[in-house]
Amino acid sequence: MHLVVCVKQVLDPEMSPRDFAIDPATKRPVAGKAPLVISTFDEIAVEVALKLREAAGSGTVSALSLGPKSADEVLRKAMAMQADRAVRIEPGSLGEPDAVQTASALAAAIRERLWPADVVFFGRQAGDTDGGQVGLMVAEILGLPVVTHAIGVRPGEGGKLLVERETRDGVEVVEVAAPVVVTVTNAPSNVPRIPKVKDVMAAHRKPIDVVELPALPVPEESRQSWAEIADLFVPAQDHRCRMMEGDSVEARVDALVRAILDLKVL
């Protein structure tokens, strides 16, 4: 069984809001001193893939990322968690890719370097854009079925897979034949494992297969940007304090209620 997990490097979502800034020229967040980490739901996807490999008794887990040299760190995080190998797509001069460019590059790399694959895992959405598009696009490009909001996958009968997915009413189990794309969401059953120190050290000694984006068979129209960010800014917060006045508690409460009604909060 070959399981591919696509992971993205993002700014640490736990960073202090005071350290978060946006470059008005590029309309992109400024990295600054904030650490770069693996996207939260992608890390959970790695955990779900590892649990499936354990349940199957054997298999290979490959981590795949599109990003510059710094993205090696999220791939090493996946290998420290016990992924077997890692592939990074070097974007070169691509800049900040949109969802179409990212999905096209990942799909091409999966075809060229990681096929055949039984399951291609994604986090349900990226930790920076919250887009939730790339996994679905890769499924469309590869011509594969997709199961969304999975919380776990286990082997079924006849070589099929049983995917537990979160729904509005609870959890449903979907039986699906491989190959398939699965997007993963969080649940108490799939909390990412904490790598052991020896595994972290071993991950830094493992090689990472690097493929240049121009060498991949990406259609020319998918190499161009399909999205334009019109604006991106940090909302200004307006803090005001107003004291309710009155000769008694009842009068101050009445004044407070009128003020709330005037603000249309209730």
Side-chain angles (χ1 to χ4, degrees):
M1 178 176 289
H2 184 203
L3 312 173
V4 176
V5 189
C6 297
V7 297
K8 182 180 183 182
Q9 187 180 49
V10 299
L11 288 176
D12 188 350
E14 300 297 326
M15 66 185 292
S16 169
R18 290 174 298 183
D19 295 333
F20 183 78
I22 293 174
D23 184 337
T26 63
K27 299 183 179 65
R28 298 288 185 181
V30 179
K33 299 179 180 178
L36 298 171
V37 300
I38 185 172
S39 184
T40 303
F41 290 106
D42 295 349
E43 186 177 5
I44 297 171
V46 175
E47 178 64 30
V48 172
L50 295 172
K51 285 184 180 298
L52 174 57
R53 185 185 64 182
E54 292 164 0
S58 64
T60 299
V61 176
S62 301
L64 172 65
S65 185
L66 168 65
K69 177 70 175 174
S70 64
D72 284 354
E73 291 305 308
V74 298
L75 293 169
R76 296 197 187 285
K77 174 65 180 293
M79 289 193 289
M81 293 172 69
Q82 294 292 289
D84 300 284
R85 59 175 296 200
V87 177
R88 179 172 63 84
I89 306 168
E90 171 56 51
S93 60
L94 177 62
E96 191 73 24
D98 62 22
V100 172
Q101 292 170 308
T102 301
S104 299
L106 293 174
I110 291 170
R111 279 200 191 107
E112 291 293 308
R113 298 298 183 97
L114 296 169
W115 200 257
D118 295 286
V119 186
V120 182
F121 286 98
F122 291 85
R124 79 174 191 204
Q125 62 198 62
D128 50 359
T129 64
D130 283 344
Q133 303 174 58
V134 172
L136 306 181
M137 289 182 178
V138 169
E140 176 67 21
I141 295 170
L142 295 177
L144 301 180
V146 59
V147 182
T148 59
H149 287 76
I151 61 174
V153 185
R154 64 181 189 274
E157 295 182 355
K160 294 185 177 180
L161 298 168
L162 299 176
V163 182
E164 295 182 35
R165 65 181 301 271
E166 187 178 72
T167 71
R168 182 176 299 178
D169 301 320
V171 175
E172 69 176 7
V173 179
V174 178
E175 185 181 63
V176 62
V180 61
V181 170
V182 174
T183 70
V184 174
T185 189
N186 59 307
S189 61
N190 60 27
V191 176
R193 64 194 65 188
I194 298 175
K196 298 176 182 176
V197 173
K198 68 179 183 63
D199 293 328
V200 173
M201 297 176 66
H204 279 80
R205 292 193 295 269
K206 293 181 178 178
I208 292 176
D209 183 11
V210 178
V211 54
E212 302 286 337
L213 179 58
L216 292 173
V218 177
E220 189 56 35
E221 64 272 19
S222 299
R223 294 182 184 272
Q224 311 303 318
S225 178
W226 286 58
E228 178 183 355
I229 299 178
D231 201 359
L232 187 66
F233 58 90
V234 179
Q237 296 184 355
D238 183 14
H239 298 282
R240 288 179 291 178
C241 180
R242 176 183 171 189
M243 301 300 293
M244 295 297 108
E245 298 180 351
D247 296 332
S248 64
V249 172
E250 289 78 8
R252 290 194 287 274
V253 170
D254 287 342
L256 176 62
V257 171
R258 287 196 298 274
I260 291 174
L261 293 175
D262 289 343
L263 291 172
K264 302 185 184 304
V265 177
L266 298 177

